Amino acid sequence: MSRVIHFELPAQNPERAIAFYSQAFGWKFHKWDGPMDYWLVQTGEKEAEGINGGLMAHDPQFPMAPINVIDIEDIDGAIEKIKAAGGTITMEKHQIPGVGWLAYFSDTEGIISGIMQPIKGEE
């Protein structure tokens, strides 16, 4: 069974969104040192239940809504299962350096989600 392991928040103004979530919920943000502007979001202490996420500038090809990212073991196999179940791949598989493989899909209801095959041993 695959679980939601991460969420992504698209923001028209990332700095304003960071200020909001920091003030409203006490979330902590850390700028990722990867190849794009992306902030890692810590929503609680490691021992607490829940998930952490990310915040990025809104990409117009996606709706202005949070995106859940689902952990999978085999991204190619998951893509085939998504298509067979009636879903559509909205962003092809691509590598996030040092993290893993990521793709986005739309389900039969038009909801966009991501699938992530983490690099083993570096999760």
Side-chain angles (χ1 to χ4, degrees):
M1 190 176 313
S2 299
R3 296 189 65 150
V4 173
I5 59 166
H6 188 79
F7 64 82
E8 293 183 323
L9 298 174
Q12 295 291 346
N13 182 325
E15 290 78 18
R16 182 177 61 207
I18 289 168
F20 171 80
Y21 286 103
S22 296
Q23 182 178 349
F25 301 110
W27 291 0
K28 297 176 184 171
F29 293 80
H30 173 76
K31 181 102 171 42
W32 184 51
D33 62 356
M36 62 184 274
D37 284 339
Y38 195 89
W39 291 262
L40 300 173
V41 183
Q42 180 183 348
T43 63
E45 299 305 319
K46 277 189 173 186
E47 310 79 43
E49 285 192 39
I51 62 173
N52 294 317
L55 183 135
M56 72 249 177
H58 176 246
D59 183 334
Q61 70 177 330
F62 294 110
M64 192 64 183
I67 297 173
N68 289 314
V69 179
I70 302 164
D71 178 59
I72 49 95
E73 290 186 23
D74 172 19
I75 196 162
D76 295 317
I79 288 170
E80 292 308 313
K81 287 180 181 179
I82 288 165
K83 290 177 180 178
T88 305
I89 302 304
T90 57
M91 182 180 282
E92 294 296 326
K93 169 182 90 170
H94 57 285
Q95 189 172 28
I96 308 293
V99 178
W101 291 93
L102 176 69
Y104 292 95
F105 69 93
S106 176
D107 69 10
T108 57
E109 308 310 304
I111 298 169
I112 303 273
S113 296
I115 51 174
M116 167 69 68
Q117 177 184 326
I119 295 172
K120 299 297 180 200
E122 296 183 25
E123 297 176 66

